[in-house]
Amino acid sequence: MAEREVDRSVSQTVKAQLALRDQILSGALRPGERISELQAVETTGASRTPVRMALVRLEEEGLLEAIPSGGFMVKAFSERDISDSIELRGTLEGLAARFAAERGVSARELEPLKECLAAIDELLRQVPISIEAFSSYVALNARFHALLTELSRSPPLIRQIDRASALPFASPSGFVMAQSALPEAQQILIIGQEHHRVVIDAIENREGARAEAVMREHARLAVRNLRLALRNRTHLDLLPALALIKTATD
Amino acid sequence: MAEREVDRSVSQTVKAQLALRDQILSGALRPGERISELQAVETTGASRTPVRMALVRLEEEGLLEAIPSGGFMVKAFSERDISDSIELRGTLEGLAARFAAERGVSARELEPLKECLAAIDELLRQVPISIEAFSSYVALNARFHALLTELSRSPPLIRQIDRASALPFASPSGFVMAQSALPEAQQILIIGQEHHRVVIDAIENREGARAEAVMREHARLAVRNLRLALRNRTHLDLLPALALIKTATD
DNA sequence: TGTATGCGTTATGTATACAATAGTGGAGAG
DNA sequence: CTCTCCACTATTGTATACATAACGCATACA
């Protein structure tokens, strides 16, 4: 019998949660597939109690679905579910931007946002963009959105946005990855960057309505691009998050 | 030793979750107070495993907060947290109304909404409104909002709205309860009812922007009323949900 | 041949035992 | 008298044993 290798650095619950999430997002577990606790115990190395806690968390996170008769299955999403999630997130980010604008933000707090902006500008100067630069872009973009969310100073809203981003395609990096599958990718990234610039400007000038509007437009752009990207699925094999979309068209 | 009385009709996990939620919302457990598993085991009648699952769920729900060193405590909310949550919910409901309007809703689907509307009208005809009628109003109002949310036909959005309503004051009945503490309560309920009427009309005529706008206004009204109600706290002792608001002014 | 019923297996729900850690109180020394 | 350190206790984190319910298969009967 394999003696259990216990890693004491992180809790078993967290370890199991991360491992299971990886399995789901990587597509190792397919949508609709039932997830067996025993199997999860073997693959994660934790015992049943932490595995169960991880499963409950992932269910609340929206990646799993409880089966009425017991147990959990990997949730399946339709294309519309995904695009709705993106729009949902854009709406919440719009509210965050408005809060930031209305409540006032010091120049010092905007500094890191502007640094992000400048760094992204630098990356986008390359035509065409390299793989490494693209991956830096994804990270910077996610950071920009996270910082913007923080500016709202509203813990409930921040929490909700985090939740809404649990679905990989609803997260900023999800946007970006979907867009990367399009031929006109770089042009789209530049438009998105323009949105970022406008929202900062609106927040600086305390124009709440404008800040909100541009973030919503930002999300609508992402929705359009996602739709386009899904039309030519050829490029999308690389996107593990796509594994979550049901194969059957509903 | 007391033999454990096992209720097989519902799962122990659900039973524990409901019991704990009750304890929190009723104020039996105060904000900031650490919640002891052993104590929860005694009060809920379930054993530690289901209790822990319930605690995890309540944490994801936003009612509890994980303590870094282990365990959970009852989350405390500032007045702004609550008002932000109401506005957040209004924003999401606005999106739901817009989706409903844009995607089209059959007359048959609007029927139950209109019945709600009529029933509420009937109740509000009493001046002043009786306690029983008021409690019917709370239920009908919650039902109206739930039905409206459903019309969006967007599972991710519906899910998110449910989540956003976990905080008691962010729920429609929370709106109503806060409003009920005001002298001008009935007048406010009538204004709210007017909003309901407008959103139905907008959805029927497929005016997405108008449907969205009125739901957001609806929430802003609730925020204003909450602020007013909190000014004269005298009436609010009756609102158990208030137990979640931190006592210390931050 | 098809359907229904019963039994067996498997997986989940629940309970509890064990381990480890953090917090607390007391005692001793400076 | 106060501060620090050690030990003990209480509580959480983890593992596993036990109970129970669901699913599948096989067999028998219509």
Side-chain angles (χ1 to χ4, degrees), chain A residues 96-109:
Chain A
R98 184 158 70 80
F99 278 176
E102 289 176 353
R103 291 171 185 182
V105 167
S106 69
R108 200 174 156 283
E109 288 171 304

Side-chain angles (χ1 to χ4, degrees), chain B residues 24-27 30-31 77 79 82 168-169 177-178 226 229-230 232-247:
Chain B
I24 296 167
L25 296 184
S26 71
R30 305 195 67 80
F77 296 93
E79 185 180 330
I82 302 289
F169 260 91
M177 292 203 297
L226 173 71
L230 286 172
N232 23 335
R233 291 217 176 200
T234 41
H235 298 86
L236 288 177
D237 308 332
L238 298 172
L239 302 183
L242 202 70
L244 282 169
I245 300 186
K246 317 190 227 276
T247 49

Side-chain angles (χ1 to χ4, degrees), chain A residues 1 9 140 149 246:
Chain A
M1 161 184 178
S9 62
L140 282 168
T149 300
K246 315 190 230 272

Side-chain angles (χ1 to χ4, degrees), chain A residues 57 59 84 154 212 216, chain B residues 57 59 84 154 212 216:
Chain A
R57 286 204 145 90
E59 183 207 354
D84 279 2
S154 174
E212 177 163 20
R216 296 183 72 157
Chain B
R57 286 203 146 90
E59 183 207 354
D84 279 2
S154 174
E212 178 164 18
R216 295 184 73 158

Side-chain angles (χ1 to χ4, degrees), chain B residues 19-31 33 39 74 240 243:
Chain B
L20 287 171
R21 191 180 1 226
D22 266 358
Q23 288 180 35
I24 296 167
L25 296 184
S26 71
L29 296 165
R30 305 195 67 80
E33 187 174 342
Q39 176 191 330
V74 180

Side-chain angles (χ1 to χ4, degrees), chain B residues 123 133-143 172-174 176-177 180:
Chain B
L123 288 173
F134 178 74
S135 115
S136 304
Y137 175 90
V138 170
L140 282 167
N141 183 64
R143 180 171 156 76
S173 36
V176 173
M177 292 203 297
S180 74

